[in-house]
Amino acid sequence: EPEEIARLFTMYAFELEGMEVVGGDTVFDFKILPNRAHDCLGHDGIARELSVLTKIPLKKVSKKDFKTENTKHALKISVEDEKLCRRYAGRVIENVIIGESPKWLKERMESIGQRSINNVVDITNYVMFSTGQPMHAFDLEKLACAGNQIDIIVRTAKKGEKLVTLDGKDIVLDETMLVIADREKPVALAGIKGGKWAEVDENTRHVILESANFEPTSTRKTSVKSGIRTDSEKRFENGIAPEIVGDAMDMATGLILELSGEARAGETVDAYPRKRNTYKIGVSAGEVNKLLGTNLSE
């Protein structure tokens, strides 16, 4: 029952700030503190937490099957600073039909206070709130290209470069700010806000889908300097795992192919220069007792 869920989270996990019935469902508003923002600023993380608290096994969500095809446009990704951008994955999706989102998607976004924009933008936001991984879509035909090759360059800005954000804010950039650029100019403030120049609108036919991982401190500093705070930036500044980049990319791709007509998706181009090692984390009763001054048994 919703009341029991509220009690469990309040006692063992997060402070409950509000509960509201929306369209036959209960929407919980939890206060996620920075120490858990890396894994619980997404519904997947909350589901994992709830599974542990209730001892109900976590359901495995089946992925939407899709096949990749040869696309007319080729994508090349260059990451100039591997410390500031730990991983950058991109994918060309052609023949996309931009339109209104289906009822289920609009209702899910509106239930958490998000305004529906169009099917592709809504999907990127839906995936972020599901997985905790921010996503972005660029209008491919608005990017500078050489023939059919599109170059995405992740680099620091040049002093004096400018960017007009999606919400119309003029930003003067400097060398401390990481940007996503094409061959000619910045098209997004990395991890924070997309630029107006490559905005997806009703005339968009081909998109480049972005799923990436940016260094937390740099993202936070750029956000403060530019005066732009977003849901995307909030997740990056708390240090999310690079491993979820691929899962989010596939989830978003599957939804776009399902909801936008005769679209076709190319292979993911994945710049992941320094893959993290797998670590096993253990703790002993002795370590716990030493820390707490207790005499607990195993």
Side-chain angles (χ1 to χ4, degrees), residues 97-106 110 116-123 202 259-260:
I97 297 175
I98 304 296
E100 194 174 337
S101 291
K103 183 181 177 184
W104 70 264
L105 180 53
K106 289 167 89 173
E110 288 167 0
S116 176
I117 298 171
N118 60 51
N119 52 355
V120 169
V121 174
D122 288 356
I123 285 167
E202 66 275 8
L259 301 183
S260 57

Side-chain angles (χ1 to χ4, degrees), residues 42-284:
H43 292 113
D44 289 357
I46 294 295
R48 286 192 294 269
E49 200 76 7
L50 185 60
S51 173
V52 171
L53 295 177
T54 60
K55 296 180 172 60
I56 296 173
L58 194 65
K59 289 181 182 179
K60 185 173 182 179
V61 180
S62 57
K63 293 183 179 180
K64 292 187 180 296
D65 290 330
F66 62 87
K67 63 177 182 178
T68 57
E69 303 179 51
N70 291 327
T71 54
K72 176 184 173 183
H73 301 88
L75 176 62
K76 180 182 178 183
I77 295 171
S78 303
V79 176
E80 293 189 356
D81 192 324
E82 297 172 1
K83 291 182 179 179
L84 297 183
C85 178
R86 298 160 172 175
R87 186 178 185 183
Y88 193 101
R91 169 178 270 152
V92 172
I93 305 181
E94 297 176 335
N95 301 334
V96 173
I97 297 175
I98 304 296
E100 194 174 337
S101 291
K103 183 181 177 184
W104 70 264
L105 180 53
K106 289 167 89 173
E107 286 179 348
R108 291 190 187 196
M109 297 307 296
E110 288 167 0
S111 73
I112 56 171
Q114 296 296 308
R115 179 174 62 90
S116 176
I117 298 171
N118 60 51
N119 52 355
V120 169
V121 174
D122 288 356
I123 285 167
T124 61
N125 287 329
Y126 177 72
V127 170
M128 176 180 71
F129 286 112
S130 294
T131 65
Q133 171 64 50
M135 303 282 299
H136 190 66
F138 300 99
D139 185 322
L140 183 151
E141 293 179 297
K142 293 177 181 176
L143 299 172
C145 62
N148 289 327
Q149 180 173 302
I150 309 295
D151 287 275
I152 292 288
I153 304 157
V154 187
R155 61 170 173 83
T156 51
K158 298 166 187 172
K159 188 174 182 180
E161 280 188 312
K162 295 181 179 180
L163 176 72
V164 180
T165 62
L166 286 168
D167 54 359
K169 187 171 183 178
D170 287 294
I171 306 292
V172 179
L173 307 169
D174 64 38
E175 301 98 323
T176 68
M177 298 176 171
L178 192 69
V179 298
I180 313 303
D182 64 10
R183 288 166 166 262
E184 299 175 355
K185 61 199 172 301
V187 293
L189 205 52
I192 300 172
K193 196 78 172 177
K196 197 78 175 170
W197 186 264
E199 179 181 14
V200 171
D201 57 31
E202 66 275 8
N203 297 314
T204 299
R205 289 295 170 262
H206 311 305
V207 301
I208 291 177
L209 203 55
E210 168 195 287
S211 184
N213 187 276
F214 302 109
E215 199 276 327
T217 303
S218 169
T219 305
R220 168 69 177 168
K221 286 180 177 178
T222 298
S223 171
V224 171
K225 190 176 287 189
S226 64
I228 301 174
R229 295 281 283 162
T230 60
D231 290 315
S232 172
E233 181 275 329
K234 183 68 178 173
R235 284 154 178 79
F236 284 125
E237 75 170 34
N238 284 289
I240 57 177
E243 284 70 29
I244 59 176
V245 161
D247 290 339
M249 174 65 81
D250 287 344
M251 182 180 179
T253 302
L255 285 166
I256 290 174
L257 295 179
E258 179 186 341
L259 301 183
S260 57
E262 300 297 319
R264 62 172 182 260
E267 293 285 351
T268 298
V269 180
D270 193 354
Y272 194 6
R274 296 185 182 182
K275 291 187 179 181
R276 291 185 173 186
N277 293 322
T278 300
Y279 293 96
K280 283 189 176 181
I281 300 173
V283 66
S284 69

